[in-house]
Amino acid sequence: MDRNTEENLKNDLENTKAQMRKGILEFCILLVISKGKTYAPDILKQLEIADLIVVEGTLYPLLSRLKNSGLVEYTWTESKSGPPRKYYTLTTKGKEAIKRLTLTWNKFNKSINSLITKTEKI
Amino acid sequence: MDRNTEENLKNDLENTKAQMRKGILEFCILLVISKGKTYAPDILKQLEIADLIVVEGTLYPLLSRLKNSGLVEYTWTESKSGPPRKYYTLTTKGKEAIKRLTLTWNKFNKSINSLITKTEKI
DNA sequence: ACTAATTACCTTGTAATGCAAGGTACCTGG
DNA sequence: CCAGGTACCTTGCATTACAAGGTAATTAGT
């Protein structure tokens, strides 16, 4: 594979990988919050540790959506080193959502694995 | 959980699940094609068997994208029961793409599992 | 020979949403 | 009092899945 093809392939795949990441974003954010009270910049750090790059402009609107859906709630809390923070926690509904999304995730996993194993002749 | 909350939760989750499905769509279509020559309606059937509902209006543009990216190619083939079909196969680049996407998929899986296991205190 | 049904391909318009970039506001330290 | 750090949020753009509708080839029924 020459250098150009390699370059193109990388670009195409970046796109597809981004799509994959998007798909699991909401689920992952709920998972992070389920670990206990957190606020936006901390969520970003934890996602980065889990190897999922997300940026502010994505996270804030998403947190608002989760709030409006009643899956999370927040309380303002003073900080010792800056402006007050919104600490998010899961609601009962949010916990239920995580359970179901975990099942969904496992289901997709199964679908893909069934497709992968059928293709080992590549 | 009352009936309204249950209804709302279902709707919210449908949305999120749809997002997840979108993310893996391109990958899954490549996997199906890697099993051997196929054409659009057959791809739809195989995805349905793997529990991934996709519709025509989604598939055709996506196949065009994959074609333009050089991951798949097609040949027109006569049919015994209707108009001619476009039979798709993977290119070398497409096979390479599948390998990398499989790695990506495994990586995301690991990320999520690390988030899930950290949260068993729910 | 005509018509209806089937099969297959594709396009248009809409809505959702991730991201880059930019903006506001609070607090602390020099 | 102002510069830097921290935290919140919004706007505009591009991508893209889907619903709905359209074109065309072949076959079956009458």
Short mmCIF file of all heavy atoms in Angstrom, two decimals, chain D residues 15-27:
data_model
loop_
_atom_site.label_atom_id
_atom_site.label_comp_id
_atom_site.label_asym_id
_atom_site.label_seq_id
_atom_site.Cartn_x
_atom_site.Cartn_y
_atom_site.Cartn_z
P DT D 15 -18.68 17.56 5.67
OP1 DT D 15 -17.35 17.11 5.27
OP2 DT D 15 -19.66 18.07 4.67
"O5'" DT D 15 -19.36 16.37 6.48
"C5'" DT D 15 -18.86 16.03 7.76
"C4'" DT D 15 -19.83 15.12 8.46
"O4'" DT D 15 -20.98 15.88 8.90
"C3'" DT D 15 -20.38 13.98 7.59
"O3'" DT D 15 -20.11 12.77 8.26
"C2'" DT D 15 -21.87 14.29 7.46
"C1'" DT D 15 -22.14 15.10 8.72
N1 DT D 15 -23.30 16.05 8.69
C2 DT D 15 -24.22 15.98 9.70
O2 DT D 15 -24.15 15.19 10.63
N3 DT D 15 -25.24 16.90 9.62
C4 DT D 15 -25.41 17.85 8.63
O4 DT D 15 -26.35 18.62 8.67
C5 DT D 15 -24.40 17.86 7.58
C7 DT D 15 -24.50 18.84 6.46
C6 DT D 15 -23.41 16.97 7.67
P DT D 16 -20.29 11.38 7.51
OP1 DT D 16 -19.42 10.41 8.19
OP2 DT D 16 -20.19 11.58 6.05
"O5'" DT D 16 -21.80 11.00 7.86
"C5'" DT D 16 -22.20 10.95 9.22
"C4'" DT D 16 -23.68 10.69 9.29
"O4'" DT D 16 -24.41 11.95 9.17
"C3'" DT D 16 -24.23 9.79 8.17
"O3'" DT D 16 -25.22 8.95 8.70
"C2'" DT D 16 -24.87 10.80 7.23
"C1'" DT D 16 -25.47 11.74 8.28
N1 DT D 16 -25.96 13.03 7.77
C2 DT D 16 -26.98 13.64 8.46
O2 DT D 16 -27.48 13.18 9.47
N3 DT D 16 -27.40 14.83 7.92
C4 DT D 16 -26.91 15.45 6.79
O4 DT D 16 -27.37 16.51 6.40
C5 DT D 16 -25.84 14.74 6.11
C7 DT D 16 -25.22 15.31 4.86
C6 DT D 16 -25.42 13.58 6.64
P DA D 17 -24.97 7.37 8.68
OP1 DA D 17 -23.90 7.01 9.60
OP2 DA D 17 -24.89 6.99 7.27
"O5'" DA D 17 -26.33 6.79 9.26
"C5'" DA D 17 -26.65 7.02 10.62
"C4'" DA D 17 -28.15 7.22 10.75
"O4'" DA D 17 -28.50 8.52 10.22
"C3'" DA D 17 -28.98 6.20 9.99
"O3'" DA D 17 -30.03 5.74 10.84
"C2'" DA D 17 -29.51 6.97 8.79
"C1'" DA D 17 -29.57 8.40 9.31
N9 DA D 17 -29.36 9.43 8.28
C8 DA D 17 -28.42 9.42 7.29
N7 DA D 17 -28.45 10.49 6.52
C5 DA D 17 -29.48 11.25 7.05
C6 DA D 17 -30.03 12.49 6.68
N6 DA D 17 -29.58 13.21 5.65
N1 DA D 17 -31.05 12.96 7.42
C2 DA D 17 -31.49 12.23 8.46
N3 DA D 17 -31.07 11.05 8.90
C4 DA D 17 -30.05 10.60 8.14
P DC D 18 -31.00 4.59 10.33
OP1 DC D 18 -31.36 3.83 11.53
OP2 DC D 18 -30.41 3.93 9.15
"O5'" DC D 18 -32.29 5.39 9.88
"C5'" DC D 18 -32.83 6.37 10.76
"C4'" DC D 18 -33.91 7.14 10.05
"O4'" DC D 18 -33.30 8.10 9.16
"C3'" DC D 18 -34.83 6.28 9.19
"O3'" DC D 18 -36.16 6.52 9.58
"C2'" DC D 18 -34.56 6.74 7.76
"C1'" DC D 18 -34.07 8.16 7.98
N1 DC D 18 -33.20 8.70 6.91
C2 DC D 18 -33.43 10.01 6.46
O2 DC D 18 -34.34 10.65 6.96
N3 DC D 18 -32.64 10.51 5.48
C4 DC D 18 -31.66 9.77 4.96
N4 DC D 18 -30.91 10.31 4.00
C5 DC D 18 -31.40 8.44 5.42
C6 DC D 18 -32.18 7.94 6.39
P DA D 19 -37.30 5.47 9.12
OP1 DA D 19 -37.82 4.87 10.36
OP2 DA D 19 -36.81 4.62 8.02
"O5'" DA D 19 -38.40 6.46 8.54
"C5'" DA D 19 -38.57 7.75 9.13
"C4'" DA D 19 -39.31 8.65 8.16
"O4'" DA D 19 -38.38 9.23 7.22
"C3'" DA D 19 -40.39 7.95 7.33
"O3'" DA D 19 -41.49 8.82 7.18
"C2'" DA D 19 -39.68 7.68 6.00
"C1'" DA D 19 -38.75 8.89 5.89
N9 DA D 19 -37.51 8.62 5.17
C8 DA D 19 -36.71 7.51 5.26
N7 DA D 19 -35.64 7.55 4.49
C5 DA D 19 -35.74 8.78 3.85
C6 DA D 19 -34.91 9.43 2.92
N6 DA D 19 -33.78 8.91 2.44
N1 DA D 19 -35.30 10.64 2.49
C2 DA D 19 -36.43 11.18 2.97
N3 DA D 19 -37.28 10.66 3.86
C4 DA D 19 -36.87 9.45 4.26
P DA D 20 -42.83 8.28 6.47
OP1 DA D 20 -43.95 8.96 7.14
OP2 DA D 20 -42.79 6.80 6.38
"O5'" DA D 20 -42.69 8.87 4.99
"C5'" DA D 20 -42.26 10.22 4.82
"C4'" DA D 20 -42.04 10.49 3.36
"O4'" DA D 20 -40.70 10.12 2.98
"C3'" DA D 20 -42.98 9.74 2.42
"O3'" DA D 20 -43.58 10.66 1.55
"C2'" DA D 20 -42.08 8.75 1.70
"C1'" DA D 20 -40.74 9.47 1.73
N9 DA D 20 -39.58 8.59 1.64
C8 DA D 20 -39.40 7.38 2.24
N7 DA D 20 -38.24 6.81 1.97
C5 DA D 20 -37.62 7.71 1.13
C6 DA D 20 -36.36 7.72 0.50
N6 DA D 20 -35.49 6.72 0.62
N1 DA D 20 -36.05 8.78 -0.27
C2 DA D 20 -36.93 9.78 -0.39
N3 DA D 20 -38.14 9.90 0.17
C4 DA D 20 -38.42 8.82 0.92
P DG D 21 -44.69 10.22 0.47
OP1 DG D 21 -45.74 11.24 0.54
OP2 DG D 21 -45.02 8.78 0.63
"O5'" DG D 21 -43.91 10.41 -0.90
"C5'" DG D 21 -43.06 11.56 -1.07
"C4'" DG D 21 -42.17 11.34 -2.26
"O4'" DG D 21 -41.08 10.46 -1.89
"C3'" DG D 21 -42.86 10.67 -3.46
"O3'" DG D 21 -42.50 11.34 -4.64
"C2'" DG D 21 -42.31 9.27 -3.43
"C1'" DG D 21 -40.89 9.54 -2.94
N9 DG D 21 -40.19 8.37 -2.46
C8 DG D 21 -40.65 7.40 -1.61
N7 DG D 21 -39.79 6.45 -1.40
C5 DG D 21 -38.68 6.81 -2.17
C6 DG D 21 -37.43 6.18 -2.35
O6 DG D 21 -37.04 5.13 -1.85
N1 DG D 21 -36.60 6.89 -3.21
C2 DG D 21 -36.92 8.08 -3.81
N2 DG D 21 -36.01 8.61 -4.59
N3 DG D 21 -38.10 8.68 -3.65
C4 DG D 21 -38.91 8.00 -2.82
P DG D 22 -43.33 11.07 -6.01
OP1 DG D 22 -43.92 12.34 -6.43
OP2 DG D 22 -44.18 9.86 -5.85
"O5'" DG D 22 -42.13 10.72 -7.00
"C5'" DG D 22 -40.90 11.41 -6.86
"C4'" DG D 22 -39.83 10.70 -7.67
"O4'" DG D 22 -39.22 9.68 -6.84
"C3'" DG D 22 -40.37 9.99 -8.91
"O3'" DG D 22 -39.62 10.36 -10.05
"C2'" DG D 22 -40.23 8.53 -8.60
"C1'" DG D 22 -39.05 8.52 -7.63
N9 DG D 22 -39.05 7.35 -6.77
C8 DG D 22 -40.01 6.95 -5.88
N7 DG D 22 -39.73 5.84 -5.26
C5 DG D 22 -38.49 5.46 -5.79
C6 DG D 22 -37.67 4.35 -5.51
O6 DG D 22 -37.88 3.41 -4.74
N1 DG D 22 -36.50 4.36 -6.27
C2 DG D 22 -36.16 5.34 -7.16
N2 DG D 22 -35.01 5.18 -7.79
N3 DG D 22 -36.91 6.39 -7.43
C4 DG D 22 -38.05 6.40 -6.71
P DT D 23 -40.14 9.92 -11.51
OP1 DT D 23 -40.02 11.09 -12.39
OP2 DT D 23 -41.43 9.19 -11.39
"O5'" DT D 23 -39.03 8.85 -11.94
"C5'" DT D 23 -37.66 9.24 -11.96
"C4'" DT D 23 -36.81 8.04 -12.33
"O4'" DT D 23 -36.87 7.06 -11.26
"C3'" DT D 23 -37.28 7.32 -13.60
"O3'" DT D 23 -36.16 7.08 -14.42
"C2'" DT D 23 -37.88 6.02 -13.09
"C1'" DT D 23 -37.09 5.79 -11.81
N1 DT D 23 -37.78 4.98 -10.78
C2 DT D 23 -37.17 3.86 -10.31
O2 DT D 23 -36.07 3.49 -10.68
N3 DT D 23 -37.88 3.18 -9.35
C4 DT D 23 -39.12 3.49 -8.84
O4 DT D 23 -39.66 2.79 -8.00
C5 DT D 23 -39.71 4.69 -9.39
C7 DT D 23 -41.06 5.12 -8.92
C6 DT D 23 -39.02 5.37 -10.31
P DA D 24 -36.40 6.62 -15.95
OP1 DA D 24 -35.34 7.28 -16.75
OP2 DA D 24 -37.83 6.75 -16.29
"O5'" DA D 24 -36.06 5.07 -15.86
"C5'" DA D 24 -34.81 4.68 -15.30
"C4'" DA D 24 -34.79 3.18 -15.12
"O4'" DA D 24 -35.57 2.81 -13.96
"C3'" DA D 24 -35.40 2.41 -16.29
"O3'" DA D 24 -34.54 1.33 -16.59
"C2'" DA D 24 -36.71 1.89 -15.73
"C1'" DA D 24 -36.33 1.67 -14.28
N9 DA D 24 -37.45 1.60 -13.33
C8 DA D 24 -38.50 2.46 -13.22
N7 DA D 24 -39.35 2.13 -12.26
C5 DA D 24 -38.81 0.97 -11.73
C6 DA D 24 -39.24 0.12 -10.69
N6 DA D 24 -40.34 0.32 -9.98
N1 DA D 24 -38.46 -0.96 -10.41
C2 DA D 24 -37.34 -1.14 -11.13
N3 DA D 24 -36.85 -0.42 -12.13
C4 DA D 24 -37.63 0.64 -12.38
P DA D 25 -34.52 0.72 -18.05
OP1 DA D 25 -33.23 1.11 -18.64
OP2 DA D 25 -35.80 1.03 -18.73
"O5'" DA D 25 -34.48 -0.85 -17.77
"C5'" DA D 25 -33.45 -1.39 -16.96
"C4'" DA D 25 -33.94 -2.65 -16.31
"O4'" DA D 25 -35.01 -2.31 -15.40
"C3'" DA D 25 -34.53 -3.66 -17.29
"O3'" DA D 25 -33.87 -4.90 -17.11
"C2'" DA D 25 -36.00 -3.76 -16.93
"C1'" DA D 25 -36.02 -3.29 -15.48
N9 DA D 25 -37.27 -2.64 -15.06
C8 DA D 25 -37.84 -1.51 -15.55
N7 DA D 25 -38.96 -1.16 -14.95
C5 DA D 25 -39.12 -2.14 -13.99
C6 DA D 25 -40.12 -2.35 -13.01
N6 DA D 25 -41.18 -1.55 -12.85
N1 DA D 25 -39.99 -3.42 -12.21
C2 DA D 25 -38.94 -4.23 -12.37
N3 DA D 25 -37.93 -4.13 -13.25
C4 DA D 25 -38.09 -3.06 -14.03
P DT D 26 -33.97 -6.02 -18.22
OP1 DT D 26 -32.64 -6.65 -18.28
OP2 DT D 26 -34.60 -5.44 -19.43
"O5'" DT D 26 -34.98 -7.07 -17.58
"C5'" DT D 26 -34.67 -7.67 -16.33
"C4'" DT D 26 -35.93 -8.22 -15.70
"O4'" DT D 26 -36.87 -7.15 -15.48
"C3'" DT D 26 -36.69 -9.25 -16.55
"O3'" DT D 26 -36.49 -10.52 -15.95
"C2'" DT D 26 -38.15 -8.79 -16.52
"C1'" DT D 26 -38.15 -7.74 -15.41
N1 DT D 26 -39.16 -6.66 -15.50
C2 DT D 26 -40.18 -6.63 -14.58
O2 DT D 26 -40.31 -7.45 -13.70
N3 DT D 26 -41.06 -5.57 -14.73
C4 DT D 26 -41.01 -4.58 -15.68
O4 DT D 26 -41.84 -3.69 -15.71
C5 DT D 26 -39.92 -4.68 -16.62
C7 DT D 26 -39.78 -3.65 -17.68
C6 DT D 26 -39.05 -5.70 -16.48
P DT D 27 -37.06 -11.83 -16.65
OP1 DT D 27 -36.16 -12.94 -16.26
OP2 DT D 27 -37.32 -11.54 -18.08
"O5'" DT D 27 -38.44 -12.02 -15.91
"C5'" DT D 27 -38.48 -11.96 -14.48
"C4'" DT D 27 -39.92 -12.05 -14.01
"O4'" DT D 27 -40.60 -10.79 -14.24
"C3'" DT D 27 -40.76 -13.12 -14.72
"O3'" DT D 27 -41.45 -13.87 -13.73
"C2'" DT D 27 -41.70 -12.31 -15.62
"C1'" DT D 27 -41.88 -11.04 -14.79
N1 DT D 27 -42.28 -9.82 -15.54
C2 DT D 27 -43.30 -9.05 -15.04
O2 DT D 27 -43.92 -9.33 -14.02
N3 DT D 27 -43.59 -7.91 -15.77
C4 DT D 27 -42.97 -7.49 -16.92
O4 DT D 27 -43.31 -6.46 -17.48
C5 DT D 27 -41.90 -8.34 -17.39
C7 DT D 27 -41.15 -7.97 -18.64
C6 DT D 27 -41.61 -9.45 -16.68
#
